Amino acid sequence: SKDSTPFITFVLGGPGSGKGTQCAKIVDTYGFKHLSAGDLLRREIARNSEYGSTILDTIKEGRIVPSEVTVRLIRREMELSDNHKFLIDGFPRSEENRISFERIIGAEPNIVLFFDCPEEEMVKRVLNRNQGRVDDNIDTIKKRLKVFEALNLPVVNHYAKKGKLHKIWAVGAEDEIFEQVRPAFAGCEV
Ligand code: UP5
Ligand code: MG
């Protein structure tokens, strides 16, 4: 219920590493509420909200939307949900995102998953996706990869040091990858 302490999982990994795909399986198996930061931002673009055009420009450039915008969207979804288990996909993308979340939400993640995938594989998957995303073109993918390496890897390292990181080799069949995900949620079966 809403009164219980939230159980928070961050899902990290480069563009096309399979975060969304594995999150769907985690939701089915462990009953989490899935919050994709990218999807929340794309929804703001679609509904022409106050920040829509700035978010669109930022995503086209593969850059990171200001923390207060993203954290506010995530917080609203957490407050609206009657679930207390959250799978936060594609966030935090920088140390600034992380610090902002911890300050505004007042909580740290219980678990952090990191999908480790070679760049060539990520590029191939994103170019094959064909869902009309404005950032799924080779120029933007290159920028997304640079931003990921420079800003997201420090977050990964932070949680590794804290002993919260579950690093998963993200190449192979989706079901094989999910078998590596399961141990992170031992005791979370619904
Ligand atoms: N696929 C999946 N698993 C596979 C497997 N094992 N073998 C072969 N193919 C596999 O998968 C990508 C594709 O690969 C799919 O076609 C899938 O079928 C296939 P997916 O599960 O979609 O990967 P995912 O990691 O979710 O890739 P995504 O492109 O969504 O990751 P990004 O992190 O790039 O995108 P996100 O939506 O999180 O962010 C987009 C942009 O929003 C960012 O670049 C940034 O500009 C902005 N943003 C912020 O500013 N702040 C935020 O907090 C979040 C986003
Ligand atoms: Mg995704």
Side-chain angles (χ1 to χ4, degrees):
S1 82
K2 281 209 153 186
D3 302 324
S4 16
T5 315
F7 186 98
I8 298 169
T9 300
F10 284 159
V11 181
L12 306 179
S17 60
K19 300 183 294 297
T21 302
Q22 294 297 322
C23 280
K25 295 178 183 291
I26 297 166
V27 166
D28 287 348
T29 311
Y30 300 106
F32 277 73
K33 169 77 177 167
H34 181 205
L35 298 178
S36 158
D39 286 350
L40 294 176
L41 293 168
R42 285 183 287 273
R43 193 175 70 186
E44 293 304 293
I45 298 171
R47 65 156 70 131
N48 260 306
S49 82
E50 189 186 351
Y51 300 107
S53 70
T54 319
I55 295 171
L56 176 60
D57 292 341
T58 308
I59 287 180
K60 277 184 181 162
E61 284 303 310
R63 299 169 73 95
I64 298 172
V65 171
S67 297
E68 51 290 12
V69 173
T70 315
V71 174
R72 205 163 68 182
L73 293 172
I74 293 170
R75 184 177 64 179
R76 190 173 63 192
E77 294 300 313
M78 289 177 74
E79 285 170 356
L80 287 172
S81 178
D82 45 25
N83 201 329
H84 76 287
K85 289 156 70 178
F86 298 101
L87 203 50
I88 302 183
D89 164 3
F91 179 95
R93 300 181 99 84
S94 64
E95 283 287 272
E96 197 228 326
N97 270 181
R98 175 182 73 73
I99 290 159
S100 170
F101 180 94
E102 290 176 356
R103 182 170 42 82
I104 294 171
I105 308 289
E108 286 192 22
N110 301 75
I111 297 177
V112 180
L113 304 181
F114 170 49
F115 291 100
D116 188 16
C117 194
E119 286 203 358
E120 319 82 74
E121 177 71 15
M122 293 194 274
V123 171
K124 193 175 78 184
R125 288 183 190 175
V126 171
L127 289 179
N128 283 333
R129 176 160 48 192
N130 254 321
Q131 286 179 355
R133 270 176 53 172
V134 296
D135 54 347
D136 284 356
N137 58 78
I138 190 64
D139 286 346
T140 308
I141 293 165
K142 284 181 182 158
K143 291 174 183 166
R144 286 157 72 189
L145 287 168
K146 275 197 185 136
V147 168
F148 169 72
E149 245 195 71
L151 300 179
N152 208 323
L153 288 183
V155 179
V156 169
N157 293 335
H158 171 85
Y159 289 121
K161 272 187 222 136
K162 295 201 109 183
K164 291 186 174 182
L165 195 77
H166 295 259
K167 184 172 168 173
I168 291 147
W169 180 243
V171 181
E174 289 173 14
D175 287 340
E176 287 167 12
I177 295 166
F178 188 60
E179 290 308 314
Q180 295 181 68
V181 169
R182 284 181 188 276
F185 295 104
C188 293
E189 286 83 4
V190 282

